[in-house]
Amino acid sequence: MSQPDLLPGTLFLLILRVLDGGPLHGYAIAKRIKECSAELLSVEEGSLYPALNRMLVKGWVTATWGLSETNRKARFYELTAEGRKQLEAESEGFDRMVAAIQLVLKTA
Amino acid sequence: MSIFRKLAFWRQTDFEAGLSEEMRFHQECRIDELVANGLSPAEAADQARRELGSPLRLAERSRDEWTFRWLEDLLTDLRYAVRALARDRAFTVTALASLALGIGCNTTIFSVTKELLLSRPSVNSPETLVRVLPGGNSHLEAPNFRFLAENNLLPHGLVGTREDSEVNWRHDGESSRVMSTRVTGNFFSVTGVPLAAGRGIAPGETHTAVLMHHFWQTRLAGDPHVLGRTLILDGRPHTVVGILPADHHTLFGFGLAPAFYLPADAGTRLALYTRIPAGEAMPATRERVQSALTRLDQALPLGQFKFSENVRIWPIVGWASLNQNKLRTIGLFFLMLLTVVGLLLLIACTNVANLLLARASVRRQEFAIRASLGASRGRLLRQLLTESLLLAALGAGCGLALNLGLTSLLNRFELNEPVPLRLNIQPDWQLLAYTILLAVASAGMIGLLPAWRATRPSVNEDLKRHTPFNLRNALVVGQLTVSIIVLAAAFLFGRNLVESLAMNPGFDTEQTVWANLRLVPENYGSPEKYAAVTQAALDRLRALPGVAAVSLTDTPFLNDDTTHGGPLRTDLSPDAVVLQRYWTHVGPGYFATMGIPVLAGREFRETDQNGVILNEALARRLFGMASPIGHTLNNQPILGVVRNSKYFSLAEDQRFAAFEPHRRNTGPVLHLMIRAAAPPDMLLRPIQHALLDLDGSAALDVRPMSRAMTLALLPSRAGAAVLGSMGLLGLMLASIGLYGVLTYSVARRLREIGVRIALGASPRQIVRLVAADGFRLVGTGLALGLLAAFFVTKPLAMFLVPGLHPSDPLSFLAVTGVLGVVGLLACFGPTRRALRVDPMQALRQD
């Protein structure tokens, strides 16, 4: 089964949601998205790191260097208050959008 | 917000190192996972690397989030632009010179205008200080001023100044006439004039002086111990108590530069200034002033005249302070200068735009390559605009340097007669802002059009068509049109100067000498003594060989002005006529001395104690065609009518004038007019000796009237000099533009010309081919320019001497001639080049 393309603009939402559970490093974020989506969604490094940097610029996350579970130096990303607010706004918007699309698909 | 975060981020981390470390960590995690899934470590490493893709590209994309992409692009563009400009040196020098001249001239006129017309007086909050003209008079007699001051009728600060009060300064055994400004004792405290050293004049002081910086520097050699030093002024010691800073601007403005400030004495006529209290509106001030002057009218009545009538109140800063009849012309003159230099800049920018257009078509290969490599049109546009912006910025920098050079030259110029004026132009933020504004405007003018053209998607297609009308030709025609307007104005002012120099002012300037004697008051003291020395001076001069006649006046022609506006009553009608007229006292035989014909009646004799002489214009106005002789004016018998002449400026036309007899001189200032039978230059020394023999302590100036015309000719000279150089500059720029366009068009048609020559075209046909293009451009520009100039120069009439009209055919003819010649010269080079085309070579070119 081929992997579906990520809906545009949803990558931020997914990262925000994953980070809501606590700070994670980049690799863990990608892995978590893959696991949670039952291997359906895979985030490529080519889009993950630019996205994380963009979120740093926007102030939704902060990054600190720490040690990973394998005792290697890794960068951990953590949600800020602003990021949490963004998550709420985006997931709400996403829900409404999905509901609307489904409504169209069912009734039209 | 994000900008700060970006900057903060850059500061705290070594971004590159962090990024590669993060990538490494990511890869290692992936390898661990793949090994756990059963791959060999080597295979796992390979696969992880494959998955991750190019680390460079990833790093770059992540970095994009953090850097100011546009800033980096800008830096690249700038680097590229510098290289491009350095490569094409001829182009860069021409373009920079054009822009520097255009911007330099603009900012210089701007600086001069600002300094001369709009400089802020050096006082505390000048906005709240106003000039008051009681009864419309410029000055108030001392007793009237004292009444206002002593009764505290204008309680928020009432200051009196006399801006041009002459004194004798005695130093090293000789006397010089110097101009001082006299002020009331409260002047320095009310105005808050800042001092460089010492203190201001204190209330009640009578013999103190505050020096202007330039006087201290030039006349007292910048003596560091000048405070406390004594100056002998009008024979009395005055103590120097303060020095003003170099950038001091007087309340009067216009670059007035007296030598020092002195306390006003009991007899000084004063100009009035008063403060407006915070929050008071102009109508309320007017009302307050009005009621104070009404009190003055009641306390010290002056017959018909009322101080509380025709009261005028002027602000002393800003455009509003210029909104007076006399000054409006000066303001408009500077507005015209600003317009002309603006046009000049337009010509210069057109030149550069044209050069850029030519360059852009040469560079179209470069753009094609860059476009095919993936540069977007916007990116190329930005590149080209950066180039023009750089060019404009460099041009503005050179222009600013030109401005500083020119203004420091102007600062050195000083006018001493009849009042001392000097400019003190200092660069300030307004100059900088104006320069930046001009640079941005120029960048837009020179860059937008060529950039748009050069990056047009189908440049080639456009270039293949050879249409008679194209953008570059249109620009040249526009440039010629504008330069004709500037040139026409320049010619008009040149003609104006010639006319002024040759103008007969209505009196004789060739055979007359003006001796200005200022006596030291305390040597005389009583009016009788003044009268005696005056008579002695007249007698001595009359006894000199070569002197035909000597007389006296209050107001030497073209050097000082006196205007009266009181009612005039003749015996013909009970109604008074109110008109402004020149009004002065002259001695017996004055009109014969000055060479002014007496048209009817006679002139004053020694015995005349009263009576009045009118000029033609006033006689005609009051009596029409009838002879006024035997009638009276304000109960004075009219003794004669004299021919009109110029009284204060050459621009005045048919001004009314009335003369009264100079009965007896009772003051320290003598203006002796001498008619020479011999050439006046031979008489200067004998006159000097004769007068200094009489009183060696007096300050004396003797010069022929022909050399006392500095002030009268100043407007014509300044106008001709400024506009003449602008016209020349405009012409030069326009001919460079024309030459460039023609040369370029020949270069583009080399092949065509080669084919024509190979097919047997005669040199004459080739000349016609090339020159026809040039003539068409010159002809079109000339036609449009003359038409525009005809209308645009109309308002210039107000600056020209009477009798010279802006539509003066001679100047238009001259403009046509000059431009025709310049056009021919500009065509000459390119045509020669076309004739030298070797057909074989031209055809072999790709």
Side-chain angles (χ1 to χ4, degrees):
Chain A
M1 182 177 162
S2 70
Q3 291 182 344
D5 284 338
L6 220 49
L7 275 171
T10 46
L11 180 57
F12 286 153
L13 176 60
L14 295 182
I15 297 175
L16 286 170
R17 177 64 189 86
V18 166
L19 286 177
D20 200 24
L24 289 173
H25 52 70
Y27 187 76
I29 294 171
K31 210 167 146 196
R32 194 118 177 81
I33 291 176
K34 206 166 176 178
E35 284 169 10
C36 291
S37 66
E39 310 265 318
L40 269 177
L41 297 176
S42 104
V43 181
E44 282 178 25
E45 297 77 9
S47 30
L48 174 65
Y49 288 98
L52 280 170
N53 276 299
R54 178 136 202 92
M55 290 163 76
L56 276 171
V57 174
K58 287 184 185 274
W60 295 343
V61 296
T62 54
T64 39
W65 289 98
L67 284 181
S68 73
E69 52 280 19
T70 53
N71 258 342
R72 292 202 195 94
K73 200 176 158 201
R75 225 143 87 99
F76 285 85
Y77 296 87
E78 186 174 3
L79 272 195
T80 60
E82 216 175 314
R84 207 150 277 136
K85 229 185 288 166
Q86 185 65 24
L87 171 62
E88 270 170 39
E90 282 203 20
S91 42
E92 208 172 290
F94 185 76
D95 283 347
R96 266 210 309 275
M97 170 68 83
V98 171
I101 292 174
Q102 279 179 344
L103 209 60
V104 173
L105 289 180
K106 277 182 200 150
T107 51
Chain B
M1 191 47 207
S2 74
I3 283 182
F4 297 113
R5 224 176 265 136
K6 280 183 190 181
L7 289 175
F9 186 79
W10 271 112
R11 216 179 39 233
Q12 6 173 288
T13 55
D14 185 357
F15 182 76
E16 300 287 330
L19 196 67
S20 61
E21 192 156 349
E22 194 168 18
M23 291 306 111
R24 197 162 56 240
F25 169 74
H26 188 101
Q27 218 166 354
E28 284 165 6
C29 288
R30 182 67 184 144
I31 293 169
D32 286 354
E33 195 186 333
L34 288 170
V35 169
N37 283 353
L39 263 72
S40 77
E43 281 170 332
D46 274 352
Q47 188 169 341
R49 215 175 8 255
R50 261 199 311 279
E51 280 175 8
L52 194 57
S54 158
L56 256 179
R57 196 172 154 69
L58 184 57
E60 192 168 303
R61 284 191 50 196
S62 303
R63 195 167 47 229
D64 276 355
E65 302 295 341
W66 289 104
T67 52
F68 304 99
R69 181 61 189 266
W70 57 269
L71 189 68
E72 281 195 351
D73 282 353
L74 182 69
L75 287 177
T76 318
D77 282 349
L78 268 180
R79 250 197 316 273
Y80 191 85
V82 168
R83 250 183 274 143
L85 291 183
R87 217 170 23 232
D88 204 344
R89 219 161 284 160
F91 159 78
T92 310
V93 168
T94 318
L96 277 187
S98 298
L99 285 174
L101 281 176
I103 293 177
C105 290
N106 267 280
T107 53
T108 304
I109 296 291
F110 173 80
S111 296
V112 173
T113 309
K114 206 165 62 67
E115 168 70 12
L116 212 54
L117 302 188
L118 296 172
S119 62
R120 290 166 75 82
S122 311
V123 297
N124 271 345
S125 44
E127 306 74 28
T128 66
L129 206 58
V130 289
R131 168 94 191 263
V132 176
L133 288 90
N137 282 2
S138 58
H139 293 79
L140 195 61
E141 302 294 341
N144 300 326
F145 183 86
R146 263 200 306 279
F147 176 83
L148 290 176
E150 278 163 9
N151 293 295
N152 203 20
L153 289 178
L154 289 165
H156 302 285
L158 171 68
V159 174
T161 76
R162 172 79 199 185
E163 55 281 343
D164 54 342
S165 164
E166 241 180 13
V167 291
N168 274 13
W169 173 42
R170 187 123 190 102
H171 58 108
D172 308 327
E174 56 178 297
S175 282
S176 318
R177 282 185 311 127
V178 289
M179 201 63 85
S180 71
T181 292
R182 294 197 180 263
V183 294
T184 49
N186 61 350
F187 176 82
F188 282 89
S189 62
V190 170
T191 57
V193 169
L195 287 121
R199 59 171 179 87
I201 290 165
E205 286 182 343
T206 50
H207 291 89
T208 48
V210 171
L211 303 185
M212 287 282 279
H213 192 266
H214 69 95
F215 180 81
W216 174 46
Q217 287 298 320
T218 58
R219 306 294 294 270
L220 299 176
D223 177 8
H225 307 296
V226 75
L227 288 183
R229 193 172 144 176
T230 301
L231 300 179
I232 307 295
L233 304 175
D234 276 352
R236 294 219 177 80
H238 285 65
T239 312
V240 175
V241 294
I243 306 168
L244 292 162
D247 62 355
H248 176 77
H249 287 96
T250 62
L251 272 183
F252 184 75
F254 297 99
L256 178 76
F260 29 66
Y261 282 84
L262 298 177
D265 54 36
T268 313
R269 300 181 71 227
L270 296 163
L272 250 62
Y273 293 88
T274 185
R275 282 267 185 215
I276 312 175
E280 188 182 82
M282 206 35 136
T285 310
R286 191 172 291 279
E287 207 153 295
R288 232 162 24 81
V289 170
Q290 201 94 28
S291 73
L293 292 172
T294 311
R295 288 274 308 273
L296 176 63
D297 281 332
Q298 289 159 358
L300 303 165
L302 260 182
Q304 297 279 327
F305 183 81
K306 293 264 182 286
F307 288 114
S308 53
E309 284 170 10
N310 300 321
V311 175
R312 281 190 285 173
I313 298 181
W314 289 335
I316 58 165
V317 282
W319 288 110
S321 64
L322 293 178
N323 200 13
Q324 315 155 21
N325 279 336
K326 273 191 189 171
L327 300 181
R328 203 172 291 146
T329 317
I330 305 178
L332 287 174
F333 180 75
F334 276 92
L335 203 65
M336 180 209 56
L337 284 187
L338 282 171
T339 315
V340 169
V341 284
L343 289 179
L344 204 68
L345 183 62
L346 196 66
I347 299 176
C349 286
T350 317
N351 247 1
V352 180
N354 238 334
L355 287 170
L356 278 175
L357 269 179
R359 242 166 78 87
S361 55
V362 170
R363 284 168 75 185
R364 65 181 192 274
Q365 214 174 3
E366 173 197 334
F367 290 129
I369 293 172
R370 294 184 61 185
S372 64
L373 283 178
S376 68
R377 186 172 183 207
R379 190 71 192 73
L380 288 179
L381 214 61
R382 211 157 61 186
Q383 161 73 50
L384 280 172
L385 287 181
T386 308
E387 271 186 48
S388 31
L389 205 60
L390 179 68
L391 213 52
L394 289 175
C398 297
L400 205 56
L402 188 67
N403 169 287
L404 296 181
L406 283 175
T407 49
S408 77
L409 269 182
L410 284 172
N411 280 349
R412 257 182 251 163
F413 169 83
E414 52 184 301
L415 180 80
N416 282 317
E417 295 293 334
V419 285
L421 300 179
R422 49 194 301 149
L423 293 172
N424 183 11
I425 303 172
Q426 300 301 333
D428 56 7
W429 66 266
Q430 283 167 319
L431 172 65
L432 194 67
Y434 190 66
T435 311
I436 292 172
L437 186 80
L438 286 179
V440 171
S442 315
M445 278 196 280
I446 65 177
L448 279 179
L449 213 57
W452 190 255
R453 284 279 283 224
T455 58
R456 222 165 25 193
S458 58
V459 188
N460 283 318
E461 202 132 313
D462 174 64
L463 284 171
K464 265 182 220 148
R465 275 200 315 264
H466 180 78
T467 46
F469 175 86
N470 68 40
L471 196 57
R472 305 198 45 193
N473 288 351
L475 283 181
V476 166
V477 167
Q479 200 177 23
L480 286 169
T481 307
V482 175
S483 68
I484 284 166
I485 297 174
V486 176
L487 207 59
F491 261 101
L492 269 179
F493 277 84
R495 283 262 292 146
N496 186 51
L497 176 60
V498 173
E499 294 273 316
S500 319
L501 287 174
M503 179 182 264
N504 177 4
F507 59 88
D508 182 37
T509 56
E510 295 305 312
Q511 297 287 96
T512 42
V513 179
W514 166 30
N516 178 4
L517 192 69
R518 192 171 193 286
L519 304 164
V520 179
E522 54 294 331
N523 291 359
Y524 296 89
S526 70
E528 289 72 29
K529 284 189 177 164
Y530 281 125
V533 76
T534 307
Q535 195 53 50
L538 287 170
D539 291 344
R540 276 182 188 232
L541 291 178
R542 282 182 184 135
L544 282 180
V547 168
V550 183
S551 189
L552 279 173
T553 177
D554 268 356
T555 322
F557 284 160
L558 299 180
N559 280 274
D560 200 359
D561 199 11
T562 156
T563 303
H564 269 244
L568 292 174
R569 262 188 208 88
T570 66
D571 51 343
L572 292 182
S573 116
D575 296 327
V577 180
V578 175
L579 45 80
Q580 298 274 317
R581 72 244 175 222
Y582 179 82
W583 179 84
T584 191
H585 295 91
V586 298
Y590 179 76
F591 296 103
T593 309
M594 296 307 290
I596 298 174
V598 178
L599 300 173
R602 60 171 177 87
E603 69 168 304
F604 296 126
R605 295 187 189 128
E606 295 283 352
T607 49
D608 285 327
Q609 286 303 304
N610 46 32
V612 59
I613 291 177
L614 312 181
N615 76 343
E616 249 179 309
L618 187 60
R620 182 91 27 98
R621 171 74 175 77
L622 294 176
F623 296 95
M625 282 309 170
S627 167
I629 309 298
H631 292 283
T632 64
L633 179 65
N634 288 1
N635 297 322
Q636 301 265 332
I638 296 170
L639 301 178
V641 176
V642 295
R643 169 84 38 91
N644 287 337
S645 66
K646 305 287 177 193
Y647 302 107
F648 182 59
S649 88
L650 293 176
E652 68 194 29
D653 198 14
Q654 310 274 320
R655 192 170 164 201
F656 301 124
F659 301 88
E660 284 188 53
H662 198 298
R663 289 170 205 101
R664 207 169 64 137
N665 184 52
T666 56
V669 180
L670 273 178
H671 293 293
L672 296 155
M673 307 306 300
I674 300 135
R675 181 160 195 81
D681 278 321
M682 318 258 295
L683 270 179
L684 300 185
R685 217 149 251 296
I687 292 174
Q688 242 154 9
H689 282 304
L691 291 174
L692 286 178
D693 268 358
L694 198 65
D695 180 352
S697 70
L700 179 65
D701 273 315
V702 181
R703 55 196 148 157
M705 261 327 264
S706 55
R707 265 182 262 147
M709 309 274 278
T710 321
L711 181 76
L713 290 174
L714 187 69
S716 323
R717 286 209 171 116
V722 176
L723 280 156
S725 37
M726 300 291 160
L728 219 59
L729 215 59
L731 184 68
M732 204 174 76
L733 290 172
S735 51
I736 290 174
L738 183 63
Y739 179 85
V741 164
L742 288 179
T743 310
Y744 173 73
S745 96
V746 168
R748 253 185 38 202
R749 294 169 73 183
L750 272 187
R751 228 172 120 150
E752 178 198 335
I753 293 168
V755 172
R756 281 173 193 267
I757 292 177
L759 290 178
S762 70
R764 237 176 90 187
Q765 282 169 313
I766 299 296
V767 169
R768 203 180 301 154
L769 182 75
V770 177
D773 267 0
F775 288 165
R776 205 167 39 230
L777 292 180
V778 175
T780 318
L782 208 57
L784 286 176
L786 287 179
L787 197 68
F790 182 77
F791 291 104
V792 173
T793 52
K794 276 239 149 88
L796 296 183
M798 71 170 106
F799 308 119
L800 304 176
V801 292
L804 184 62
H805 292 290
S807 48
D808 179 38
L810 203 64
S811 19
F812 278 84
L813 220 61
V815 170
T816 312
V818 167
L819 213 85
V821 170
V822 168
L824 270 179
L825 287 178
C827 293
F828 183 69
T831 312
R832 228 165 68 124
R833 186 151 171 225
L835 281 176
R836 286 202 184 146
V837 168
D838 177 356
M840 285 317 286
Q841 227 165 8
L843 290 174
R844 247 186 245 128
Q845 277 180 358
D846 62 351

